[in-house]
Amino acid sequence: MSRTRNNPLADDLLRPLFNTGVWFYLAVAALGTVVLTGLTAWAYQMWHGMGVAGVNWPVFWGFHETNFVFWIGISHAGTLISAILRLVNARWRRPVTRCAEVITVFALMIGAIFPIIHLGKPWLFYWVAPYPSQGSIWPNFRSPLVWDFFAINTYLTGSLLFLMLPMIPDFALVRDRAVGLRKRIYGLLAMGWQGTTQQWNRLEAAMQIMAIAIIPVAVSVHTIVSFDFSMAQVPMWHSTIFGPYFVAGAIFSGIAALILAMTVLRRMLRLHDYLQDIHFDNLAKLLLLMALLWGYFVTAERITVWYGNEPHEMAAFWSTQRGLYSPLFWTMVCCNFVLPLALLPFRRMRIGFGAVVAASGVVVGMWLERFLIIVPSLSNKQLPYTWGGYTPQPVEVIVMASTFAAMALLYTLFAKVVPIISIWEMRVGNQPHPAATAAPEHELPELSKARP
Amino acid sequence: MAHRWGMVVDLDRCTGCEACVTACHAENNIPTVGPQEAANGRAMHWMRVERYWEGEYPDAKVKFRPVLCQQCDNAPCEAVCPTYAAHQTDEGLNAQVYNRCIGTRYCANACSYNVRFFNFFNPQWEKPLHLQLNPDVSVREVGVMEKCTFCVQRIKTGKRTAATENRELKDGDIQPACAQACPSGAIIFGDLNDHESRAARLAHSPRGTKLLEDLGAEPKVTYLQRQPWNESDA
């Protein structure tokens, strides 16, 4: 135990793991209640049928699908940002990466449940997976929904690995400090980590590989999610811009979610020494950049449709610009473009409350964007006789609210069992090689023993 | 040669009486959902009569168009179904396998004609209406899509009858419920591969157009309509 005593950084960052406050139980109880309510609502929907939701003929997709695209979008916060920051070796990234990667994993898990929630027969969801069955029927590989299945599973596996790898040395740290059952559990998670040079080299190589591999996966995931829409001949869906537009939007909403999560973490876990102004400053700059990119994509999409003036598309177009859905559309423009551009050019705003306001706006605005892509188009398909509308029903709203609670709950539980800031990466700091500083003094003889 | 079922709907004959809609409901065990759920967009009409108005009152002209599944050769609904519940049969029908459907409703979104319907609730028939269900047609359960089948049960019966009578299937042996019920004979069903069939000949009429033809779904339903700009051919 003595070897870990002279590590004030770890003392500080491991505090939430070893000391549990009342607020933790209160938060878990409150969030858990909301999550249970959501599960009950889902059970209610399964029992009675999809009719208790607002979806109808011709708007067959509504809130559930909006939430699916929204959460998959949020998941682009983490892994992608942290992979890019790792690759360019941005030094300020160190306290941010894990907060971000956790968002990815949990948002993906939540997002991936929505395609199951929205099914008429959710218990048969595994039929989209290829598995040997007596009927020897495989899924239809022409269907974008099957592409979704593979893309999301690949991304989830990759992000989990990317999150878990740099956690190993921190698990070992907890293992060395804990006693009893906790020591055994963290011992298993640490997978025999001793901090040898060979282990450090392997960890570094693995992370380098994952950081490079995860970027094309992340980009492809949201492109494929956009294909759910752009592959269908529905007005305003059938567009080549959807792939990059969705990826940019996903990163945009992901950064906003990350800023919000970091703000909460900084307050709740008193991490002001680690999550500093520079992190909010840099992330807010990134948010501003993405706001500009988002504005560019929306303009390009809208002006092409408007100038093309195809009758089928104009019905859906005008319903969002000045018809039924226009209040939502212009709210979205304010949230996603006007608000960030008004607040974020100023450093005082970026490091202060302005970033929180802008990030909240972007989360709302990006949710609206997903809704405005799905519902107005389905309301105004080619045959005017079939035009319709959509009103969300309580079950859809409750399920949606519960997923936000689920995100907060998972995050709270995670921060309870894993140091939310990577301790060894903080310790490494500016040093060129982790083995040089991270290995405790008395391990060095073992290190030399291990060498042939 | 394999059959290739198709249909011709003569809009110049259609009076908009909706006998086809009623016949379709009765033949295919399509549940009615009541006024409240119908207003919520849960009504299921495999066959519907669309009404369009031209001109302003009092010079308004109303036009009717019966719309059913167009049984597309290049069907957008089939490609997007993850489980092959929607697939093309050898005879060119867009089949919907109810047992294979998991209810993604993607097919309904992809269909530009909006002729696919979802069972939002378990269907119910007030007693004694449940006794008049057609035993040849399966009753669908909650959570699956359904659509016009071109009365596939009648196609099968027609082929079986011809086989037992030891003869070739003749044009007109098979009639879907809508065609049979149409008082003005506006709906003609037949084998498009049989060039002598009425449906095949009418499908090549200069009055013929396809619904939303420019989308390239290659529907097998042809609509006949007097074309004032092409009067001499009509």
Side-chain angles (χ1 to χ4, degrees):
Chain A
M1 293 295 276
S2 61
R3 61 179 169 174
T4 50
R5 278 285 172 250
N6 55 352
N7 188 350
L9 186 76
D11 289 343
D12 200 17
L13 287 173
L14 290 178
R15 186 167 24 85
L17 275 70
F18 290 98
N19 307 321
T20 311
V22 182
W23 66 266
F24 172 78
Y25 294 110
L26 285 177
V28 170
L31 295 170
T33 311
V34 182
V35 173
L36 280 178
T37 313
L39 288 172
T40 314
W42 183 18
Y44 172 78
Q45 178 190 282
M46 271 198 267
W47 182 260
H48 290 280
M50 192 50 77
V52 295
V55 284
N56 60 65
W57 177 93
V59 186
F60 286 96
W61 285 355
F63 263 35
H64 292 332
E65 295 72 16
T66 305
N67 285 318
F68 162 62
V69 185
F70 172 77
W71 280 110
I72 302 290
I74 294 289
S75 80
H76 282 56
T79 306
L80 191 65
I81 297 168
S82 113
I84 292 169
L85 293 181
R86 274 183 209 277
L87 284 178
V88 299
N89 208 10
R91 282 190 187 150
W92 61 273
R93 74 164 198 273
R94 295 179 192 282
V96 178
T97 48
R98 187 166 298 160
C99 309
E101 288 156 18
V102 178
I103 295 183
T104 295
V105 171
F106 292 149
L108 262 181
M109 287 175 175
I110 292 169
I113 291 177
F114 273 105
I116 302 174
I117 295 178
H118 99 128
L119 289 182
K121 293 181 169 181
W123 49 93
L124 298 179
F125 74 94
Y126 61 93
W127 283 5
V128 300
Y131 65 96
S133 66
Q134 209 170 22
S136 49
I137 306 174
W138 277 47
N140 179 4
F141 289 105
R142 294 185 299 163
S143 169
L145 290 182
V146 175
W147 309 344
D148 270 349
F149 174 80
F150 286 102
I152 290 169
N153 277 310
T154 310
Y155 192 38
L156 186 57
T157 314
S159 326
L160 263 174
L161 279 175
F162 195 61
L163 171 72
M164 298 289 280
L165 277 174
M167 280 182 352
I168 294 171
D170 283 351
F171 281 143
L173 197 63
V174 183
R175 173 197 64 193
D176 295 346
R177 293 180 166 224
V179 287
L181 180 64
R182 192 183 290 193
K183 190 180 186 71
R184 282 173 58 193
I185 292 172
Y186 281 95
L188 280 174
L189 289 169
M191 292 188 276
W193 180 265
Q194 294 299 330
T196 63
T197 309
Q198 193 186 32
Q199 284 179 334
W200 281 115
N201 286 341
R202 284 185 180 162
L203 181 68
E204 199 166 85
M207 279 167 57
Q208 199 72 11
I209 292 169
M210 284 310 299
I212 294 170
I214 206 77
I215 291 173
V217 175
V219 171
S220 72
V221 167
H222 225 67
T223 308
I224 286 172
V225 169
S226 85
F227 284 175
D228 285 348
F229 307 104
S230 61
M231 291 292 165
Q233 278 178 327
V234 173
M236 303 277 298
W237 280 12
H238 197 47
S239 156
T240 52
I241 206 172
F242 263 35
Y245 178 32
F246 271 53
V247 174
I251 299 170
F252 188 33
S253 64
I255 296 167
L258 179 57
I259 290 175
L260 292 179
M262 280 168 51
T263 308
V264 175
L265 284 174
R266 181 156 80 159
R267 271 191 93 88
M268 302 299 270
L269 302 179
R270 278 160 287 158
L271 297 174
H272 295 80
D273 293 343
Y274 307 95
L275 300 174
Q276 297 163 350
D277 287 347
I278 182 185
H279 304 112
F280 287 89
D281 191 23
N282 282 343
L283 284 173
K285 279 182 195 164
L286 213 49
L287 193 67
L288 180 60
L289 173 77
M290 294 313 292
L292 290 168
L293 193 59
W294 181 87
Y296 165 71
F297 271 118
V298 172
T299 312
E301 186 218 10
R302 297 275 143 178
I303 206 162
T304 316
V305 171
W306 173 74
Y307 198 90
N309 201 25
E310 281 195 60
H312 296 326
E313 296 211 308
M314 292 321 277
F317 178 79
W318 287 123
S319 81
T320 56
Q321 301 307 120
R322 60 184 184 199
L324 181 62
Y325 299 100
S326 60
L328 296 178
F329 180 85
W330 295 110
T331 308
M332 170 188 78
V333 171
C334 284
C335 287
N336 279 355
F337 196 69
V338 179
L339 202 57
L341 255 67
L343 293 175
L344 300 179
F346 310 106
R347 186 181 139 81
R348 209 162 46 84
M349 287 292 179
R350 286 199 299 271
I351 61 175
F353 196 59
V356 180
V357 173
S360 313
V362 170
V363 169
V364 173
M366 283 309 297
W367 191 91
L368 287 174
E369 189 213 275
R370 277 58 168 108
F371 180 81
L372 287 167
I373 284 171
I374 296 172
V375 170
S377 288
L378 292 177
S379 308
N380 297 280
K381 279 163 74 175
Q382 283 88 347
L383 295 175
Y385 184 84
T386 67
W387 287 355
Y390 169 77
T391 314
Q393 293 302 306
V395 62
E396 291 161 307
V397 179
I398 294 170
V399 167
M400 173 176 155
S402 77
T403 58
F404 284 90
M407 184 71 196
L409 178 63
L410 289 168
Y411 217 101
T412 309
L413 293 175
F414 183 86
K416 181 75 197 117
V417 294
V418 179
I420 197 69
I421 290 176
S422 180
I423 297 171
W424 69 268
E425 284 185 275
M426 291 295 289
R427 282 181 79 192
V428 168
N430 302 336
Q431 300 297 323
H433 195 282
T437 48
E441 284 280 311
H442 75 281
E443 280 187 7
L444 287 175
E446 289 174 35
L447 201 73
S448 52
K449 256 188 288 175
R451 290 238 168 94
Chain B
M1 190 163 55
H3 302 290
R4 188 164 166 274
W5 305 110
M7 185 178 276
V8 176
V9 181
D10 194 334
L11 298 181
D12 296 334
R13 282 169 175 265
C14 176
T15 61
C17 72
E18 308 217 5
C20 51
V21 179
T22 313
C24 179
H25 268 266
E27 169 74 16
N28 291 301
N29 299 336
I30 306 172
T32 49
V33 295
Q36 183 56 47
E37 282 306 307
N40 289 346
R42 272 70 184 270
M44 293 191 269
H45 303 301
W46 291 6
M47 165 70 96
R48 63 169 180 261
V49 178
E50 294 191 351
R51 281 166 298 175
Y52 289 100
W53 278 267
E54 277 177 9
E56 293 291 319
Y57 180 81
D59 292 322
K61 259 174 80 176
V62 64
K63 291 202 157 191
F64 300 110
R65 182 161 54 202
V67 177
L68 67 167
C69 173
Q70 308 286 303
Q71 310 284 349
C72 307
D73 279 341
N74 192 11
C77 56
E78 291 169 359
V80 299
C81 176
T83 58
Y84 285 120
H87 73 98
Q88 186 106 163
T89 70
D90 296 339
E91 298 188 352
L93 298 177
N94 295 113
Q96 178 71 15
V97 186
Y98 307 125
N99 291 339
R100 188 67 188 161
C101 177
I102 59 173
T104 69
R105 307 188 293 290
Y106 198 173
C107 53
N109 289 339
C111 172
S112 306
Y113 306 98
N114 275 340
V115 289
R116 295 183 144 264
F117 302 92
F118 187 67
N119 285 275
F120 287 97
F121 294 106
N122 248 329
Q124 283 173 347
W125 284 271
E126 276 176 44
K127 285 177 183 173
L129 293 180
H130 66 295
L131 296 174
Q132 67 166 23
L133 289 175
N134 183 351
D136 292 338
V137 179
S138 54
V139 173
R140 284 76 58 186
E141 60 178 339
V142 63
V144 302
M145 296 298 307
E146 59 180 62
K147 59 176 271 295
C148 164
T149 63
F150 263 180
C151 284
V152 67
Q153 67 282 1
R154 289 183 174 219
I155 295 175
K156 297 224 163 184
T157 310
K159 287 201 284 196
R160 210 181 304 124
T161 309
T164 36
E165 290 169 4
N166 218 356
R167 60 173 173 84
E168 290 281 301
L169 200 60
K170 295 196 305 287
D171 185 34
D173 274 359
I174 299 169
Q175 267 205 322
C178 54
Q180 187 181 14
C182 182
S184 60
I187 301 174
I188 300 105
F189 178 84
D191 184 357
L192 298 180
N193 274 350
D194 172 7
H195 297 296
E196 295 307 308
S197 76
R198 252 187 98 209
R201 276 186 286 119
L202 283 172
H204 291 106
S205 158
R207 287 193 299 144
T209 50
K210 300 278 171 69
L211 193 54
L212 301 176
E213 192 167 5
D214 53 332
L215 295 179
E218 297 173 29
K220 280 193 280 290
V221 176
T222 306
Y223 287 92
L224 303 184
Q225 195 170 13
R226 194 170 69 94
Q227 295 171 0
W229 61 89
N230 206 2
E231 202 73 310
S232 56
D233 293 335

